[in-house]
Amino acid sequence: LQPARREDRRAALLAAIVTAAATNLGTPIAEATIAAFRERKSLLPATDTLDRIGRAARVIARRRMEAALLDGLTSEGLATLDGLLTVDPTIRQTRFAWLRALPEVPSEKNLLAHLERLSVVRAFDLDPQRRARVHPERWAQLVREGAVTPSWLADDFNAGRRRTLLAAQLIELSSKLTDATLTMFCRLIARLFTKSKARQEQRHLDDRKETGRLLRMFGDTLRALADANETGEDTFDVLDREIGWHRLVQARVDVE
């Protein structure tokens, strides 16, 4: 073993940065730092030194993530992101809160609300491939954080953290809104088919009653014709007496 040198502390910092790229938790970062010292046959430095290395690694990893996710955005684009946290008088809330409040009940009105939100999100033109620049576990953590952070709290974050959180939410909302819109559309179509089927079944029930009435009249007519044939009476007299000629004439349209 040997006392920790500058090169050893630097190697431990790099190992901690790699771990911090995936998580913000202190324990795995500290474990990666200690493992790096032991791998280099170095004695562990003081606890506060380990703590400073871990904290520095976490800050560096977060700043690298922010730079990677926001890379290429203009100053106007960044300002537009910040504008999501400003209360819009037309909806009486911030656009950030409005975008995340998705109506779930299938209806034509809510479908239009989904489409309106989707158009707002797509107007930022954030390529979904940006998420590939961030470690998957860190991305999932970032999305979870953004989903529960109220607008007033996000507005208090530093610029990098605030804009990264907003950009991640917009990228995630783009696919989430698309899925929700398609799902609601399919449910509305299914509801239309269900209503149409119910109306068709009701028409069949109504038609069955009318068909039964006409078949009974047809049966009575055949019986009257058979009676007239057996007795030798005038056919039209028998039909008019037993059925009613006017009823037969009125039923003609329904039969056709």
Side-chain angles (χ1 to χ4, degrees), residues 158-172:
N158 62 63
R161 183 181 179 187
R162 177 179 66 250
R163 291 165 177 170
T164 302
L165 183 144
L166 292 172
Q169 281 297 295
L170 289 174
I171 293 173
E172 196 70 15

Side-chain angles (χ1 to χ4, degrees), residues 2-15 33 36-43 45 53:
Q2 61 184 6
R5 299 166 298 176
R6 181 177 181 179
E7 294 79 5
D8 300 325
R9 291 192 293 271
R10 179 174 178 80
L13 176 61
L14 293 176
T33 304
F37 278 113
R38 288 177 173 167
E39 184 179 354
R40 297 175 64 86
K41 308 292 185 182
S42 298
L43 294 171
I53 292 174

